[in-house]
Amino acid sequence: MGGRVTSTASALATLGPLVAESAPLPPAELARYARQITLPQIGMSGQRRLKNARVLVVGAGGLGSPALLYLAAAGVGTLGVVDDDRVEESNLHRQVIHGVGDVGAAKVDSARAAVAAINPHVVVETHPVRLTAANALDILGGYDLVLDGADNFATRYLVNDACEILGIPCVWGAILTFHGQVSVFWAAPPSGVEGVTYRDIFPEAPPAGSVPSCAEGGVLGALCATVGSVMVNEAIKLITGAGRSLLGRLALYDALEVSWRELSIGADPSRMPVTELIDTVVACEVPAPGTGVGAGPDAGAAPVEITARGLAALLASGTDVHVLDVREAFEREIVAIEGSVHVPMAQLLADGGLAAVPTDRPVVVHCKVGGRSQAVVDAARRAGMTNVANLTGGVLAWVRDVDPSLPTY
């Protein structure tokens, strides 16, 4: 972390309402939001501000799902959703805005239908694209604030930088395994309030391979609801001016302990302001230390990486290749490469565990998408084993490029 971080709560961040009031609400909407309007911190003024608000949700996944549902239910007038992905069955345990009938559909379309079913008074604008430096300012610039539920570091930094250039607030959340984080970032808050951005706290992305993705590390589905609902709470407070914002504070949640911890955060005085966007390639889940498919570290050594098609060609040629699956046992029950040998990563990385790796023939190590297997390959290479390579993209790449008849997860 690059900014000031302590365990002491920050000063009260009273920001005032972000959005102006809409025209008076019709009776049907007054009845719908009656119990929310009754709250003195919201009232008629706050509800009209919600009606007039334009909120963009980045990602219709684990965090975006509850966020979109609760923003719609609260009466936010216009919701944007940006996501270029399609619904997969493995999404459904946590991405509750999608259902079984949505598998294969664009996530933005599934999300739009779910929002319409909850609140027909909400306008949904869909952006079925991947955010890039070329389109981020145009997309984000049409909204009052952004909820960032992205699951990768490249998008998080892009959203942060675009919000800083545009001067709009960003409600940020992140989840992994049983842990969640939530904060509000805003480079240009009202006068008298210190601005804090994602880069003030996390100046650079973590080294490749040091942080697993949700696909590799897993995530408790209900954790998405906990963190996503807090993000919505913060968005409503920003729009209406109610309560104390998380700007200047980082909230940390532990679902196993059911505990919240708070860190006070501040701007990094040495950080240079962001003035332009760049597309950053952040290979946080799958490190790429090798020399590529066609070359090894020494004569006769196996390549550090091999593609799924390359492995298939080797196997078809009759080459004696030891295919080592380092996933968990339940993952092999879903899908496995025929002939592969199962030894979990934890066992291989334990003392003496690499003895299970043959040294007399080429070894290709794989997991789901390539992160865990790369850790095993790195350990084997450090131990002097030059016959070990990582299957780029893991078993999902095998299914995609070699045998599409196999299931994915």
Side-chain angles (χ1 to χ4, degrees), residues 56-301:
L56 177 69
V57 177
V58 177
L63 292 175
S65 289
L68 285 162
L69 294 174
Y70 274 106
L71 286 166
V76 171
T78 302
L79 288 175
V81 54
V82 55
D83 198 312
D84 68 339
D85 204 0
R86 292 185 174 271
V87 180
E88 299 178 0
E89 191 170 9
S90 62
N91 300 149
L92 301 182
H93 94 283
R94 66 195 184 282
Q95 299 181 17
V96 294
I97 204 167
H98 313 297
V100 174
D102 299 314
V103 172
K107 286 186 177 180
V108 293
D109 293 336
S110 174
R112 177 173 54 190
V115 168
I118 289 174
N119 191 343
H121 303 291
V122 175
V123 175
V124 180
E125 299 175 346
T126 59
H127 306 277
V129 297
R130 180 173 293 275
L131 279 181
T132 67
N135 64 23
L137 292 177
D138 288 338
I139 293 174
L140 273 65
Y143 296 91
D144 299 308
L145 73 154
V146 176
L147 270 70
D148 180 10
D151 62 357
N152 65 88
F153 287 101
T155 303
R156 289 171 185 165
Y157 283 101
L158 183 62
V159 170
N160 171 83
D161 294 352
C163 285
E164 179 170 350
I165 291 172
L166 294 167
I168 59 177
C170 173
V171 180
W172 168 80
I175 52 174
L176 185 64
T177 63
F178 294 92
H179 302 279
Q181 302 179 13
V182 191
S183 191
V184 172
F185 300 117
W186 197 355
S191 177
V193 179
E194 182 182 53
V196 182
T197 76
Y198 184 76
R199 285 191 183 273
D200 285 317
I201 312 306
F202 307 105
E204 303 291 341
S210 65
V211 178
S213 68
C214 289
E216 294 283 352
V219 62
L220 181 69
L223 179 66
C224 302
T226 303
V227 174
S229 64
V230 173
M231 293 172 70
V232 172
N233 194 54
E234 289 304 304
I236 291 173
K237 287 158 56 181
L238 285 169
I239 293 166
T240 64
R244 178 189 181 199
S245 171
L246 269 177
L247 179 64
R249 297 183 291 153
L250 177 64
L252 310 173
Y253 179 64
D254 184 333
L256 289 176
E257 297 292 334
V258 193
S259 64
W260 286 94
R261 188 162 60 97
E262 179 184 305
L263 300 178
S264 178
I265 56 180
D268 180 355
S270 65
R271 186 182 68 84
M272 296 296 293
V274 175
T275 57
E276 63 178 343
L277 298 183
I278 59 171
D279 285 317
T280 304
V281 178
V282 185
C284 299
E285 293 85 3
V286 184
T291 55
V293 172
D298 52 55

